[in-house]
Amino acid sequence: MPVRKPEPTRTSRPPGLQEPIARAEPLRDAVHARLVELISSGEYPPGAALTEASLSRALDVSRTPIREALLRLEAEGVLRSALARGFTIRPLVRREVEELYPILAGLEALAVRTAIPVPKPTVKALRGTLTELERCQDPIRRWKLDTRWHATIVAASGNEHLHAMIGQLRVNLSRYELAHLREVPTREHADQQHRDILAALEARETDRAAELLETHWREGQQRVLDWLTPAAPRTTP
């Protein structure tokens, strides 16, 4: 008789799946947030397969919120699905970078123009995050701090739809940003750009802050394009 492999236990989870899903928010949103974190951190690299059954066991939740989260990530451009094959993380391709970064730059510039004047507590929070970001060497932590810094600016606009649109773009582009940060960790120029943007925000120079943000994302796009292998899509971070 063939030997039957034992079913995986709920205690033998990958490192990124050890913490239980928080129930303070709707379960579908909590599952989506956890999957975004795992994909962005590289726990599931481009090309990796995701199945409802394995995620249900790993996250200790039913399949319904898992499927809702996977479908949402597919709509956001992070996953793709194939009949009877489940979902996979989309590969890294130049065209996506060329299309999405300019949109992100324009939307964040719009957020800046509608956020001026930025409240003093927001400026203080931006300065604190930037200080921590400049001292950080871990690529995953740097990405999280960078995301927080930009999200703080966007939130100051008070435009919830704009905040949601930018958040969706950042989820998609996180696959590129983190993979790039792991291989090209030097970020002094980007940190200086952050300082210049913050100075313009403090001085209430609306147009200058927006222009600096657009330049920041345009140059970030070019760095990612230079890093990507032009001959073929990347399937690993």
Side-chain angles (χ1 to χ4, degrees):
M1 292 181 62
V3 178
R4 184 177 180 180
K5 294 183 180 180
E7 291 290 327
T9 64
R10 289 180 176 176
T11 58
S12 59
R13 302 175 184 171
L17 300 175
Q18 294 291 343
E19 298 179 7
I21 290 289
R23 301 303 174 96
E25 57 183 318
L27 186 56
R28 63 179 180 273
D29 294 336
V31 171
H32 175 269
R34 177 60 60 82
L35 291 180
V36 167
E37 180 182 353
L38 292 169
I39 293 169
S40 300
S41 67
E43 187 79 44
Y44 295 119
L50 300 179
T51 66
E52 294 178 34
S54 62
L55 290 172
S56 178
R57 290 192 299 268
L59 298 178
D60 197 17
V61 296
S62 68
R63 289 196 181 191
T64 298
I66 295 291
R67 179 158 185 79
E68 290 176 344
L70 292 174
L71 289 172
R72 180 175 168 185
L73 286 168
E74 182 183 25
E76 291 172 340
V78 178
L79 305 179
R80 63 185 179 188
S81 62
L83 187 64
R85 294 185 180 181
F87 297 85
T88 57
I89 312 294
R90 292 180 62 186
L92 306 184
V93 293
R94 293 176 62 86
R95 180 175 178 179
E96 194 167 41
V97 174
E98 293 168 343
E99 292 180 350
L100 295 184
Y101 268 91
I103 299 173
L104 177 58
L107 291 178
E108 279 210 2
L110 175 60
V112 165
R113 290 189 170 97
T114 56
I116 298 293
V118 176
K120 289 184 178 180
T122 300
V123 171
K124 182 178 179 181
L126 288 168
R127 188 181 297 113
T129 302
L130 182 53
T131 298
E132 189 175 355
L133 177 61
E134 291 174 335
R135 295 172 179 172
C136 182
Q137 299 299 319
D138 177 70
I140 295 177
R141 179 61 179 163
R142 275 194 64 90
W143 174 81
K144 290 182 177 180
L145 290 168
D146 181 80
T147 301
R148 182 203 300 173
W149 195 85
H150 285 273
T152 301
I153 293 177
V154 175
S157 71
N159 189 324
E160 294 183 2
H161 287 85
L162 186 59
H163 191 277
M165 292 171 67
I166 292 174
Q168 178 177 322
L169 282 171
R170 288 300 302 265
V171 168
N172 200 343
L173 288 174
S174 66
R175 299 174 296 127
Y176 296 88
E177 294 172 347
L178 257 173
H180 176 255
L181 280 173
R182 286 195 186 94
E183 296 186 22
V184 188
T186 303
R187 298 283 294 171
E188 287 85 355
H189 182 62
D191 290 341
Q192 181 59 55
Q193 289 179 321
H194 286 141
R195 288 192 291 270
D196 294 341
I197 294 166
L198 181 55
L201 290 173
E202 289 185 275
R204 300 188 178 184
E205 298 175 354
T206 308
D207 289 337
R208 175 168 169 74
E211 290 169 2
L212 288 170
L213 254 176
E214 288 180 307
T215 299
H216 172 71
W217 284 120
R218 187 167 58 249
E219 292 184 3
Q221 173 191 3
Q222 191 57 54
R223 284 193 295 271
V224 173
L225 287 173
D226 291 342
W227 164 76
L228 277 172
T229 303
R234 300 177 70 96
T235 57
T236 57

